[in-house]
């Protein structure tokens, strides 16, 4: 069996707790013969700032570049609230994404049957929900120049952010979305606002061209981003793969997140281009932050982190069977009644981070053994 090199960056707050939970599952993957990994652990975020004076040391960045994939917990917390902007813990994560050019953010929104009651929507609207949001992560209005606040002659101010996309940026994210759809139901919805934005006009044009030239056997639908937001809460199961830009993706993926019940359930992947060796640079991390309110109390839900490992198996290493087994083990553990506090609901006794990770690892062994 091939052994892959994983860099673990647990980070701050609940990061180390959920990362430890994931390592229990890594052991179970190894025991069951599904996958083996060489792991290295390093610092990122506030803990790196404390140790090295930088939220991402150059040596850590080099290790990240040398690894086959990176699994990150979370960064940040009140301890570092007063540090200089360029040294804040989140800057370490942003630098990592930028240096590795991780342009495609994949955020699945899956509603497990056992958790349908935890959603803000009615059970029948969300039960069986399985959407993949593909968000462009390194372009658009968060990075476009000019980006500034200027003072006008009358003393008032003027703020500018620039929404900018090139053909190449749209093409590469469209390829990611269509490739994913080809392995799922074959349906892609592309969200933009071509009715009022030039970047939306180009987005629609390029996605249409990529579809016609390379993926004509798949189904493509264009949807205005505002309508998309509405449809996500009206009839979310109509979507399979949803591709969109950085800004709309930020908002739409948070809406989709709420359909699934808890932040503690949501994994993500940030993917770069395929390198000369055929490997894609990739960072996998839970969507949630460092949750200082529950850090150090064995209360955090490790499923978002464990789900991120499942995405790593699938998207970095092509280990679809192992990823299916792990996703299935999460479903089994939940169906068996395992609940951390965030998903416990009334009348259920919650278990801790360690016990939840052990429940998933046991369910994995039971599936394979
Ligand atoms: P958060 O995601 O850390 O927490 C929001 C709420 O969700 C909290 O009540 C928390 O207890 C709960 N929660 C989050 N993850 C959970 C889990 N796994 N299990 C159970 N409950 C969970 O967001 P926040 O409070 O806005 O931010 C806290 C810190 O995290 C800040 O410093 C922020 O900058 C940072 N942050 C980091 C990332 C990242 O590392 N990618 C993302 C978001 C926020």
């Amino acid at each position: 069996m091939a052994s892959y090199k994983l860099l673990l960056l647990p980070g701050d707050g609940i990061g180390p707790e959920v990362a430890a939970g994931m390592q229990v599952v890594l052991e179970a993957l190894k025991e069951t013969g599904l996958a083996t990994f060489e792991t290295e652990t390093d610092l990122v975020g506030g803990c790196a700032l404390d140790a090295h004076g930088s939220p991402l040391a150059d040596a850590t960045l080099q290790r990240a570049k040398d690894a086959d994939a990176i699994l990150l917990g979370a960064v940040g917390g009140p301890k570092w609230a007063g540090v200089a902007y360029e040294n804040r813990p989140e800057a370490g994560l942003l630098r990592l994404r930028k240096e590795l050019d991780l342009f495609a953010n994949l955020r699945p929104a899956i509603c497990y049957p056992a958790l349908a009651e935890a959603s803000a929507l009615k059970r029948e609207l969300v039960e069986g929900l399985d959407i993949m949001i593909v968000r462009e992560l390194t372009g658009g209005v968060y990075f476009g120049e000019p980006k500034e606040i200027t003072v006008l002659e009358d003393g008032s101010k003027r703020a500018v952010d620039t929404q900018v996309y090139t053909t190449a940026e749209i093409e590469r994210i469209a390829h990611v979305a269509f490739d994913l759809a080809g392995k799922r139901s074959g349906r892609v919805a592309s969200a933009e606002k071509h009715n009022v934005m030039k970047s939306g006009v180009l987005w629609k044009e390029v996605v249409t061209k990529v579809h016609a030239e390379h993926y004509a056997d798949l189904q493509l639908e264009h949807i205005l981003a505002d309508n998309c937001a509405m449809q996500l809460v009206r009839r979310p199961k109509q979507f399979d793969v949803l591709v969109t830009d950085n800004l709309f993706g930020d908002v739409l993926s948070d809406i989709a997140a709420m359909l699934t019940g808890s932040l503690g359930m949501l994994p993500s992947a940030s993917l770069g281009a395929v390198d000369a060796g055929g490997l894609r640079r990739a960072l996998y991390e839970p969507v949630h932050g460092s949750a200082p309110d529950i850090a150090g109390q064995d209360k955090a839900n490790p499923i978002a982190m464990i789900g991120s490992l499942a995405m790593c198996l699938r998207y970095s290493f092509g280990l679809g069977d192992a990823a299916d087994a792990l996703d299935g083990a999460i479903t089994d553990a939940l169906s068996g009644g395992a609940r951390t506090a965030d998903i416990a609901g009334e009348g259920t006794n919650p278990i801790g981070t360690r016990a939840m990770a052990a429940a998933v690892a046991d369910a994995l062994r039971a599936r394979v053994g």
Side-chain angles (χ1 to χ4, degrees):
M1 198 186 338
S3 179
Y4 300 102
K5 217 159 79 181
L6 288 184
L7 178 63
L8 309 184
L9 298 173
D12 308 316
I14 61 168
E17 296 170 66
V18 294
M22 183 205 61
Q23 277 178 279
V24 170
V25 175
L26 272 180
E27 274 306 310
L29 281 169
K30 191 172 160 190
E31 271 170 44
T32 51
L34 284 169
T36 42
F37 298 96
E38 282 169 48
T39 57
E40 271 189 326
T41 303
D42 209 333
L43 303 176
V44 69
C47 57
L49 182 66
D50 290 347
H52 306 302
S54 158
L56 182 73
D58 290 341
T60 310
L61 177 61
Q62 191 54 50
R63 277 178 149 181
K65 287 181 174 168
D66 294 341
D68 293 327
I70 305 156
L71 278 147
L72 186 139
V75 296
K79 180 178 176 194
W80 302 281
V83 303
Y85 187 78
E86 61 282 7
N87 265 342
R88 70 202 194 285
E90 291 76 5
L93 177 54
L94 293 180
R95 181 170 177 221
L96 206 48
R97 288 179 183 156
K98 188 164 180 285
E99 293 272 351
L100 300 181
D101 197 13
L102 303 173
F103 66 88
N105 185 220
L106 274 49
R107 279 177 59 166
I110 297 170
C111 184
Y112 294 91
L115 293 185
E117 296 302 339
S119 169
L121 296 194
K122 292 188 201 118
R123 171 180 276 276
E124 61 267 28
L125 288 180
V126 292
E127 194 165 15
L129 178 82
D130 182 358
I131 303 177
M132 177 65 80
I133 297 197
V134 180
R135 167 187 170 193
E136 200 290 327
L137 200 59
T138 51
V141 74
Y142 294 165
F143 296 97
E145 295 288 345
K147 187 177 198 60
E148 62 189 13
I149 299 177
T150 48
V151 181
L152 302 178
E153 274 177 17
D154 67 359
S156 65
K157 293 179 182 175
R158 178 171 183 271
V160 179
D161 292 289
T162 305
Q163 166 82 343
V164 53
Y165 273 109
T166 62
T167 303
E169 284 174 314
I170 303 169
E171 274 173 355
R172 64 181 186 173
I173 193 78
H175 278 288
V176 170
F178 285 119
D179 286 341
L180 276 169
K183 297 180 188 134
R184 293 167 56 102
S185 76
R187 286 182 295 122
V188 174
S190 169
E192 32 62 21
K193 279 188 67 79
H194 68 270
N195 54 338
V196 285
M197 295 171 77
K198 286 292 178 192
S199 57
V201 172
L202 183 65
W203 185 279
K204 186 175 178 192
E205 185 185 303
V206 174
V207 173
T208 303
K209 189 159 179 276
V210 170
H211 174 245
E213 287 178 357
H214 302 278
Y215 306 94
D217 54 325
L218 304 182
Q219 214 180 307
L220 169 65
E221 172 201 7
H222 298 283
I223 185 165
L224 293 175
D226 47 347
N227 182 29
C228 186
M230 226 158 45
Q231 295 300 329
L232 272 174
V233 286
R234 182 173 167 263
R235 212 163 50 80
K237 283 190 267 184
Q238 69 184 282
F239 296 110
D240 183 37
V241 174
L242 183 55
V243 63
T244 189
D245 73 14
N246 203 345
L247 174 63
F248 295 138
D250 197 357
V251 178
L252 295 174
S253 60
D254 271 15
I255 296 176
M258 277 324 293
L259 305 177
T260 69
S262 167
L263 259 180
M265 299 292 300
L266 296 165
S268 80
S270 302
L271 308 179
V274 178
D275 66 17
L279 207 71
R280 218 182 237 294
R281 285 206 189 286
L283 169 78
Y284 299 87
E285 58 178 324
V287 167
H288 63 72
S290 60
D293 52 335
I294 55 167
Q297 301 172 39
D298 192 38
K299 280 189 182 163
N301 186 346
I303 290 181
M305 184 84 234
I306 295 170
S308 301
L309 171 62
M311 292 188 83
C312 172
L313 297 173
R314 198 181 300 282
Y315 298 118
S316 274
F317 307 131
L319 297 171
D321 290 346
D324 287 346
L326 184 48
D327 283 335
I330 294 172
T331 305
D332 294 350
L334 293 169
S335 303
R339 298 280 191 281
T340 40
D342 56 312
I343 52 172
E346 277 175 33
T348 311
N349 264 345
I351 59 174
T353 311
R354 286 192 287 268
M356 179 58 109
V360 175
D362 288 346
L364 183 67
R365 289 189 196 94
R367 274 192 166 239
V368 181

